[in-house]
Amino acid sequence: MAVRTIEVREKVMAMNNELAAVVRQRLAEAGVVAFNLVSSPGSGKTTLLERTLDELGEELGIAVVTGDVQTQNDADRLARRTTRLVQAVVTGGACHLDARQVLSALDAIDLQRTRLLFVENVGNLVCPASWDLGEEAKIVLFSVTEGEDKPLKYPKMFREARYAVLNKMDLLPHVPFDLDSAVAAARSVNPDLTFFFTSALHGEGLTTWFDFLRSRIRQTAPV
Ligand SMILES: Nc1nc2c(ncn2[C@@H]2O[C@H](COP(=O)(O)OP(=O)(O)OP(=O)(O)O)[C@@H](O)[C@H]2O)c(=O)[nH]1
Ligand SMILES: [Mg+2]
């Protein structure tokens, strides 16, 4: 029984990787850069996207796919910030998005008008780490209220990510959170991580974040 379970999982992952390759190809043909935002619940993914849509939504042609276990609250929040389509995926219990869901979401998005695609994954620091969605990179958020040991407790997520956003910096004076230890913990599992330090709520650090997004778009032209 145990062996059969493993085989099924391997087949599912192989199928996902094939579909992720299709997503990646479609995005490359359209010259769209895609980032997969991952974090534990409540780290500030939607808040960061709200601010990003306000500042860059039109300039960078941003489209968003949101994943939630239940409700389309995040999609509704983000749709208030843009005239572009925000595609909601309700996973109905699954703790992550998969490439098939992103592929069908792409059918609804006008890729010719899109240069930057954000996928807001389900809030979970474990499951989304294993699923390639066809993104250019995973961006992991964690906030100063979560404890500086999170990268050590959930190493796969930090290993899979290329960028890390340390959010809720405005709360740093109010919580016992050692910033240097947090960064060292993340770098110990992934020395190549590039960091952003933000308060998505109040705006601290967002200029650097916006400049990074602008520069990523400038480097990408359709293949
Ligand atoms: N103080 C402070 N609060 C923040 C910041 N960013 C987000 N929040 C608050 O944190 C809570 C959760 O923020 P969301 O943006 O909904 O978090 P999320 O990661 O999208 O949550 P899920 O989608 O449920 O995983 C909200 O009450 C936000 O207002 C920040 O930089 N500082
Ligand atoms: Mg959210």
Side-chain angles (χ1 to χ4, degrees):
M1 244 348 229
V3 172
R4 184 156 181 264
T5 306
I6 291 166
E7 280 176 0
V8 169
R9 181 176 158 76
E10 282 173 354
K11 277 187 193 156
V12 169
M13 296 310 281
M15 169 82 74
N16 183 76
N17 290 343
E18 278 174 27
L19 293 173
V22 176
V23 171
R24 195 163 277 120
Q25 178 67 26
R26 279 186 64 181
L27 294 174
E29 284 166 5
V32 175
V33 175
F35 290 123
N36 180 0
L37 282 188
V38 292
S39 83
S40 50
S43 300
K45 299 180 294 302
T46 309
T47 308
L48 183 65
L49 287 178
E50 287 175 325
R51 300 295 293 243
T52 304
L53 285 172
D54 287 348
E55 180 73 18
L56 298 176
E58 282 308 308
E59 181 186 332
L60 299 188
I62 299 177
V64 186
V65 176
T66 63
D68 265 307
V69 171
Q70 205 52 264
T71 84
Q72 57 175 58
N73 290 358
D74 287 358
D76 291 342
R77 278 171 65 185
L78 294 170
R80 287 196 280 274
R81 307 298 184 118
T82 177
T83 54
R84 292 159 183 275
L85 183 73
V86 178
Q87 186 68 22
V89 178
V90 177
T91 67
C95 54
H96 61 86
L97 287 173
D98 63 35
R100 183 184 52 77
Q101 292 163 329
V102 175
L103 191 57
S104 30
L106 288 191
D107 288 337
I109 293 172
D110 183 354
L111 289 181
Q112 298 314 315
R113 286 183 65 225
T114 303
R115 295 164 73 200
L116 178 57
L117 173 69
F118 280 108
V119 178
E120 179 180 342
N121 218 314
V122 176
N124 189 299
L125 262 186
V126 181
C127 314
S130 302
W131 295 80
D132 183 6
L133 303 182
E135 72 273 355
E136 172 174 310
K138 289 186 176 66
I139 301 179
V140 63
L141 274 79
F142 68 128
S143 64
V144 303
T145 52
E146 294 172 40
E148 58 273 312
D149 61 348
K150 286 300 161 294
L152 301 177
K153 295 178 81 171
Y154 303 93
K156 182 157 191 188
M157 190 64 95
F158 287 82
R159 213 173 286 131
E160 293 291 323
R162 197 180 308 160
Y163 305 97
V165 178
L166 188 39
N167 192 36
K168 307 196 186 180
M169 288 294 287
D170 56 294
L171 297 179
L172 200 51
H174 309 290
V175 290
F177 183 89
D178 184 336
L179 195 57
D180 292 339
S181 300
V183 172
R187 291 236 158 92
S188 75
V189 296
N190 183 353
D192 298 327
L193 269 179
T194 297
F195 267 88
F196 299 91
F197 300 92
T198 61
S199 168
L201 197 61
H202 298 298
E204 186 184 343
L206 291 184
T207 304
T208 308
W209 165 251
F210 296 148
D211 286 347
F212 157 71
L213 295 175
R214 286 191 180 100
S215 76
R216 279 306 300 111
I217 294 307
R218 269 198 299 273
Q219 291 163 21
T220 306
V223 293

